């Protein structure tokens, strides 16, 4: 890795969105800015500190959003001026957006490891439709299956009852995800690091708050996360842990600036 003349490190930040860079309704604070509406309701909020700090951060750091949102759900976000990540990987790694335009090469490469699983994903979706407690279910962007359940208890039961074969399954709150084995945020991170524009970066920082983020967090030089995931990263990257999930967005900003100045030991 190259050293900058002034000792400042060039950072690549790969960050989850919901629950990480954006706060949910449950964690919302008074000054947070509404950035996403769904069915007429505000559902995602950008902290005021990030709205003020992201434009300057973007001038120093390569930023990629890495989210399980579909392309449509990502494009629903209304970013304040200067805050939108330059690159967004959606659908847990299946799609890449540069600004608001899809990268066709990335999508074709993704299809090589998602298309063979579509028949099983459709079977899983059919099973989910028969399960009590499932509010909605679908195959997202022809890449993975997701069920939104009435409550987290229903989600845990649905996961236990669904025969998904070798698909990777996760529960996140009321949602249950079933993904092709290679479709994960760790794979997405490696693909992002291989992009030409990322070759001059010195350190990779990943931020996330859920089990879906663990492959990405484990593959980075440093991870910014919540207490519930910190133990899973022991012995891996340097870990910055937020006091609570609601504090994670501000910690992402703080950790990146600290690492930009100091780098990693050794």
């Amino acid at each position: 890795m190259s050293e900058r003349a002034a000792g400042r490190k060039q950072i690549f930040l790969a960050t989850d969105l919901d629950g990480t860079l954006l706060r949910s309704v449950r964690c919302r604070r008074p000054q947070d800015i509404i950035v996403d509406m769904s069915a007429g309701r505000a559902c995602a909020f950008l902290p005021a500190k990030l709205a003020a700090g992201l434009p300057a951060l973007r001038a120093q750091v390569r930023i990629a959003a890495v989210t399980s949102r579909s392309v449509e759900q990502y494009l629903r976000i209304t970013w304040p001026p200067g805050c939108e990540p330059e690159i967004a990987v959606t659908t847990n790694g299946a799609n890449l957006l540069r600004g608001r335009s899809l990268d066709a090469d990335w999508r074709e490469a993704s299809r090589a490891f998602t298309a063979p699983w579509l028949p099983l994903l459709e079977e899983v979706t059919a099973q989910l439709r028969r399960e009590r407690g499932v509010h909605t279910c679908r195959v997202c962007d022809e890449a993975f299956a997701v069920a939104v359940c009435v409550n987290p208890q229903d989600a845990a039961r649905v996961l236990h009852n669904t025969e998904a074969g070798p698909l990777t399954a996760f529960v996140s709150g009321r949602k249950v995800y079933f993904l092709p084995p290679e479709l994960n945020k760790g794979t997405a991170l490696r693909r992002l690091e291989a992009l030409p524009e990322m070759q001059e970066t010195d350190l990779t920082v990943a931020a996330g708050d859920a089990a879906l983020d663990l492959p990405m967090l484990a593959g980075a030089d440093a991870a910014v996360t919540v207490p519930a995931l910190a133990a899973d990263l022991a012995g891996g990257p340097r870990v910055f842990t937020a006091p609570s999930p609601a504090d994670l967005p501000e910690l992402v900003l703080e950790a990146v600036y600290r690492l930009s100045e100091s780098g990693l030991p050794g």
Side-chain angles (χ1 to χ4, degrees):
M1 292 183 180
S2 62
E3 291 289 336
R4 306 294 171 189
R8 183 183 295 273
K9 297 291 183 179
Q10 179 65 44
I11 301 288
F12 165 40
L13 170 64
T15 178
D16 174 55
L17 292 179
D18 299 285
T20 302
L21 209 64
L22 306 178
R23 275 199 272 263
S24 66
V25 172
R26 180 171 53 86
C27 295
R28 181 184 184 181
R29 292 177 176 174
Q31 301 304 314
D32 290 351
I33 300 165
I34 297 171
V35 294
D36 187 16
M37 302 282 292
S38 179
R41 298 180 181 178
C43 61
F45 307 83
L46 184 68
K49 185 174 181 180
L50 267 70
L54 278 173
L57 189 70
R58 280 192 54 182
Q60 303 176 36
V61 174
R62 307 308 298 263
I63 302 176
V66 184
T67 177
S68 59
R69 283 179 176 238
S70 67
V71 172
E72 179 184 3
Q73 289 168 335
Y74 177 78
L75 292 176
R76 210 171 58 202
I77 299 172
T78 302
W79 296 94
C83 291
E84 183 170 5
E86 60 184 291
I87 289 176
V89 174
T90 73
T91 330
N92 219 57
N95 294 298
L96 173 69
L97 290 143
R98 297 180 184 277
R100 301 239 144 182
S101 301
L102 274 170
D103 186 301
D105 291 337
W106 182 285
R107 180 57 182 153
E108 283 305 309
S110 298
R111 283 196 178 101
F113 57 83
T114 59
W117 297 98
L118 272 174
L120 180 55
L121 292 169
E122 295 290 355
E123 289 179 21
V124 166
T125 304
Q127 290 183 59
L128 294 170
R129 291 194 180 102
R130 296 192 292 269
E131 282 289 330
R132 176 175 51 85
V134 172
H135 180 58
T136 61
C137 62
R138 65 182 178 125
V139 174
C140 183
D141 290 346
E142 298 184 325
F144 65 77
V146 59
V148 180
C149 300
V150 175
N151 55 54
Q153 293 74 31
D154 282 328
R157 177 180 50 76
V158 166
L159 175 65
H160 182 266
N161 291 346
T162 304
E163 176 53 55
L167 296 175
T168 305
F170 289 97
V171 170
S172 180
R174 297 189 302 123
K175 295 181 180 180
V176 190
Y177 295 88
F178 299 91
L179 304 109
E182 293 183 65
L183 187 70
N184 62 71
K185 292 188 179 184
T187 300
L189 181 66
R190 291 191 295 272
R191 295 174 70 188
L192 282 167
E193 288 178 321
L195 293 175
E197 58 263 46
M198 300 302 177
Q199 296 310 297
E200 294 303 315
T201 58
D202 299 298
L203 295 173
T204 296
V205 182
D209 71 309
L212 280 167
D213 301 313
L214 277 171
M216 176 174 70
L217 296 170
D221 296 309
V224 190
T225 190
V226 293
L229 298 185
D232 293 302
L233 299 168
R238 178 177 176 182
V239 178
F240 295 82
T241 307
S244 73
D247 296 310
L248 186 57
E250 287 84 359
L251 182 61
V252 173
L253 200 65
E254 176 187 336
V256 169
Y257 276 125
R258 285 171 59 186
L259 286 167
S260 178
E261 294 295 340
S262 64
L264 289 169

